[in-house]
Amino acid sequence: MTGAGGTQRWAPGDHILWRYRGNASHDLHICRPVTVVQDTEDLLAVWVAPGTECVKPALADGTPVCREPLATRYTKPRVTVREEWWGTGVLKLARPGEPWSVWLWWEPGWRFKNWYVNLEEPHLRWAGGIDSEDHFLDIAVLPDRSWQWLDEDEFAQAQQVGLMGPGQARRVRRAGRAAVRLIEAWGWPFADGWEEWRPDPRWTVPELPADWDRTPARMPS
């Protein structure tokens, strides 16, 4: 369906791709097939179902990126690998033009765990999904409204090895501070009850297409 301004909207239950390009690169290195929960002028909400086959980066020798020492994590050659989404699913919420998305995590049995603010480029929509670029720095928000910065060491290392310039790093920090103000005011989406949401049991797990990296998008630098 087509919304206001001629934007093509996806319907609940549609399968699309949520992708990230590599930092300081135009190549896509993360792809997650997701199910659309809601797509309006104000919000795109999607569900990453348990068992979804995804694409993620790994070191050329197969070592998971997270296991590589920070000093060489971003300088060793990488490849993309396919792997199922482990654990419980995750609900992702993104608003147009906003430099972050908010993810909701649950423990087994649907016990709500936390929100996760993923700082990233505002999403670029295309026919099959959305593209962005991760900005390393994140924020965890707990149900008691406390919060903390995450991955500050990775954010610093990315700058040190040239994956993020000083100007971009300043923009990311400003975005993070804006997100913190939203958290402290307990604004969207923290007060909106999304932690009570549940997926439609009729939904199927999306498939990862062979051409998951089609139409690479050029994101702003």
Side-chain angles (χ1 to χ4, degrees):
M1 60 182 175
T2 303
T7 299
Q8 188 71 27
R9 297 291 172 194
W10 297 298
D14 284 351
H15 293 168
I16 64 172
L17 301 178
W18 183 293
R19 310 188 301 183
Y20 292 96
R21 73 167 193 176
N23 302 90
S25 168
H26 293 300
D27 295 329
L28 294 157
H29 72 156
I30 293 174
C31 178
R32 296 166 185 155
V34 298
T35 302
V36 174
V37 175
Q38 176 181 321
D39 183 26
T40 65
E41 292 181 18
D42 302 319
L43 175 67
L44 174 63
V46 303
W47 170 242
V48 186
T52 301
E53 186 180 22
C54 301
V55 172
K56 70 175 188 178
L59 299 187
D61 64 1
T63 301
V65 171
C66 61
R67 295 183 186 174
E68 180 67 18
L70 188 60
T72 52
R73 186 173 301 171
Y74 302 121
T75 56
K76 284 193 172 180
R78 293 188 178 193
V79 295
T80 55
V81 297
R82 294 177 175 227
E83 183 177 283
E84 285 191 0
W85 186 267
W86 53 269
T88 58
V90 59
L91 178 68
K92 297 187 175 190
L93 309 174
R95 296 197 293 191
E98 206 158 54
W100 62 74
S101 57
V102 180
W103 306 359
L104 283 79
W105 297 88
W106 288 267
E107 301 282 6
W110 288 103
R111 184 170 66 86
F112 184 64
K113 182 180 179 182
N114 67 280
W115 294 270
Y116 181 92
V117 180
N118 196 73
L119 297 171
E120 59 196 21
E121 285 290 336
H123 294 125
L124 187 153
R125 292 176 68 107
W126 57 285
I130 59 171
D131 292 349
S132 185
E133 177 187 292
D134 185 77
H135 285 161
F136 301 99
L137 194 61
D138 307 298
I139 307 169
V141 185
L142 298 180
D144 65 3
R145 302 193 183 189
S146 62
W147 62 271
Q148 63 176 333
W149 294 105
L150 299 176
D151 303 325
E152 291 190 278
D153 56 345
E154 294 187 358
F155 182 62
Q157 185 67 18
Q159 295 171 65
Q160 184 172 328
V161 300
L163 293 180
M164 181 178 291
Q168 186 183 25
R170 287 193 293 270
R171 291 195 297 274
V172 173
R173 274 292 184 188
R174 283 199 298 270
R177 289 193 291 269
V180 167
R181 289 194 293 271
L182 185 64
I183 295 164
E184 292 180 337
W186 210 242
W188 177 93
F190 308 105
D192 291 356
W194 280 102
E195 61 272 25
E196 303 302 325
W197 174 87
R198 300 293 182 266
D200 188 325
R202 297 171 296 179
W203 286 347
T204 58
V205 176
E207 294 184 1
L208 178 68
D211 59 348
W212 62 268
D213 57 349
R214 66 191 182 275
T215 320
R218 286 184 173 268
M219 305 296 296
S221 299

